[in-house]
Amino acid sequence: MSPDAMITHFVGASALVLVVAHAAGWLARRLRQPYIVGQLSAGIALGPSLLGALAPDAYASLFPAEIGPALTGFAQFALVVFLFAVGYELDLKMLGARARASLTVALASFVVPMAVGCGGALLFREQLHGLGMPRDLSPAMVVFAGVALSITAVPVLTAIVRENGLSRSVPGVVAVSAAGVLDAVCWTVLAAALMDSGGSGTALDWPWRVALAVGFVTVMAVAARPVLRRLLWRTRMEPSLRLALLIGFALGSAWVTHSLGLHVIFGALLAGVVVPREEGGTLDPDLLRPLHDVSSLLLPFFFVISGQSVALNSMDGTGWAVLLVVTVLAVTTKIGSGALAARLGGLDRHDARTVGVLLSARGLTELIALNAGLQAGLLSAPLYAVLVFMALATTLFTQPLLLLTRRLAERDRASRPSSPAPFAPPPSQDGTTTAPADVG
């Protein structure tokens, strides 16, 4: 294919990706589902599962192999910008007065799914072998199976909390805080699994890569953060130049971690974490707004790249059975462990159930981890397809389960009219109620 023809194909494919993905996201939001659900569904539909099966000639014309590297490049750039913003927004100080409950929930919702995932990988090795996995799973593969069940998607969870009016409620604050801690733990364990995998693409042995990675993290925390603080606070450079500088910083950090055998996602997250906030500890809106705009515009390329590896028509009976089992385990372990830990942390049973349901949302974070595992050789293509559908299913189930939990709470309160609603403020002397305290 000539360069001109490749550019033509790429421009046409990009137009289709952007329009279809964002239209599907808009439709998902109208159906009271997260925006990402529509975009992920569009990415799968534009892959071999739907478009490739119904119109193979059109699929081959729109997405020839020659434009694959360009689409992948756009997808990786979108991931770097998105995760840079996630790292910049990450603030564990928000735990506040609910620190104990949030940490308990985070620990339980990591340990239980992690143990179930690792145990299931070892117990059902024959079934996984039928999906293209080796009979003797490496330690990294077993650990990755646990991580796949443990992840909670903080951006999706935050959007669900906000859209359901739970941002100022106790279960909303506990769930978001616990998810932030859980996210940090899962990324660390995932980094260790990728370090131990044989698909790093670097000639260095893993002890050297670990040592260099620790050294890089130390340099970023000790040296890069003060330099950025001085540069951003004292020079007061114009917003466009600051944005370009920091995105370049994130791309450079992603390049280093990729060179060390890790995924670009870790460098992007690390860059976001070390970038200092404003002098008052607030987020810089002139930085955050364009980061969100750029990442939301380009993330559909990542969904399409993810969908290219999902072939629905290649799943046999074993694949569907594994999908059912994995989805049930993913939902029950998250809801059960999160709700029990929240109950032990002092929440009533209805709010505890709400916390567990919120933590079961996986979404984009799960897809990013699965993509990294596929590239590192920790997943076979059929198992990757199964886990992608699990991520989609658990995200779809979150909103209906949340509504069910709310109705159970309302029914329970209706059956006990003399009992005040959870977290309802006491009536004042004149019979009115005071505004609830901000628990955030």
Side-chain angles (χ1 to χ4, degrees):
M1 181 181 295
S2 67
D4 288 341
M6 186 176 68
I7 292 174
T8 301
H9 279 281
F10 176 74
V11 171
S14 299
L16 181 66
V17 167
L18 291 175
V19 172
V20 172
H22 285 287
W26 173 83
L27 179 60
R29 186 166 288 170
R30 292 294 299 269
L31 296 175
R32 301 196 65 183
Q33 288 291 340
Y35 201 80
I36 184 182
V37 169
Q39 291 189 320
L40 174 57
S41 302
I44 295 175
L46 291 176
S49 296
L50 185 60
L51 181 61
L54 298 179
D57 293 337
Y59 175 74
S61 178
L62 286 168
F63 299 103
E66 289 81 358
I67 69 170
L71 292 174
T72 302
F74 264 67
Q76 295 299 309
F77 179 81
L79 277 186
V80 169
V81 176
F82 171 77
L83 289 168
F84 175 64
V86 170
Y88 180 60
E89 291 181 285
L90 183 63
D91 184 14
L92 298 183
K93 294 179 182 178
M94 71 175 296
L95 292 175
R98 294 285 171 178
R100 180 182 175 185
S102 299
L103 290 174
T104 302
V105 170
L107 180 63
S109 59
F110 171 76
V111 172
V112 175
M114 185 76 184
V116 171
C118 293
L122 295 174
L123 186 62
F124 299 104
R125 283 179 292 184
E126 287 300 320
Q127 287 77 8
L128 294 180
H129 179 66
L131 293 176
M133 296 294 289
R135 291 187 184 275
D136 296 324
L137 300 176
S138 68
M141 293 176 178
V142 175
V143 171
F144 188 86
V147 172
L149 287 190
S150 304
I151 286 178
T152 292
V154 176
V156 174
L157 185 150
T158 304
I160 293 174
V161 166
R162 184 171 55 249
E163 291 171 3
N164 285 272
L166 298 173
S167 299
R168 299 291 183 180
S169 69
V170 171
V173 171
V174 171
V176 173
S177 303
V181 177
L182 180 63
D183 219 26
V185 174
C186 286
W187 287 124
T188 303
V189 176
L190 178 60
L194 293 179
M195 279 283 187
D196 189 52
S197 70
S200 62
T202 179
L204 294 174
D205 294 331
W206 74 266
W208 282 104
R209 287 187 279 124
V210 170
L212 290 173
V214 172
F216 177 64
V217 172
T218 303
V219 169
M220 290 282 282
V222 174
R225 188 178 182 87
V227 170
L228 287 171
R229 182 183 294 114
R230 182 173 304 176
L231 183 65
L232 297 177
W233 288 3
R234 294 188 179 180
T235 60
R236 296 299 177 185
M237 63 180 65
E238 61 182 47
S240 59
L241 179 58
R242 178 170 46 189
L243 177 65
L245 173 67
L246 292 177
I247 289 182
F249 173 67
L251 290 169
S253 178
W255 173 77
V256 171
T257 56
H258 183 74
S259 301
L260 294 176
L262 291 169
H263 200 276
V264 296
I265 57 180
F266 298 103
L269 273 171
L270 179 60
V273 169
V274 302
V275 168
R277 298 187 171 203
E278 294 295 278
E279 295 187 61
T282 59
L283 296 170
D284 181 5
D286 291 331
L287 172 62
L288 205 56
R289 189 181 305 110
L291 287 176
H292 285 163
D293 290 342
V294 172
S295 61
S296 63
L297 176 67
L298 297 181
L299 274 175
F301 289 94
F302 172 74
F303 295 124
V304 168
I305 293 298
S306 301
Q308 299 296 310
S309 301
V310 176
L312 185 61
N313 53 10
S314 66
M315 289 183 60
D316 54 11
T318 301
W320 289 110
V322 172
L323 173 60
L324 176 62
V325 172
V326 168
T327 303
V328 171
L329 290 177
V331 173
T332 55
T333 55
K334 275 291 186 180
I335 295 179
S337 61
L340 179 60
R343 195 78 174 96
L344 294 176
L347 277 69
D348 68 34
R349 58 179 179 176
H350 300 300
D351 287 331
R353 281 201 297 259
T354 300
V355 170
V357 169
L358 288 171
L359 290 175
S360 68
R362 285 169 174 83
L364 179 57
T365 307
E366 178 82 11
L367 289 182
I368 295 172
L370 293 178
N371 188 267
L374 180 65
Q375 293 182 13
L378 300 179
L379 290 176
S380 62
L383 183 56
Y384 171 81
V386 167
L387 294 177
V388 166
F389 283 115
M390 179 272 289
L392 179 60
T394 53
T395 308
L396 279 169
F397 292 159
T398 301
Q399 186 65 32
L401 289 175
L402 198 59
L403 293 175
L404 176 62
T405 301
R406 181 177 298 173
R407 289 177 181 175
L408 290 175
E410 292 172 351
R411 182 182 302 175
D412 185 65
R413 287 196 295 268
S415 65
R416 294 185 291 113
S418 60
S419 300
F423 309 111
S428 62
Q429 297 296 326
D430 59 358
T432 62
T433 55
T434 57
D438 184 0
V439 297

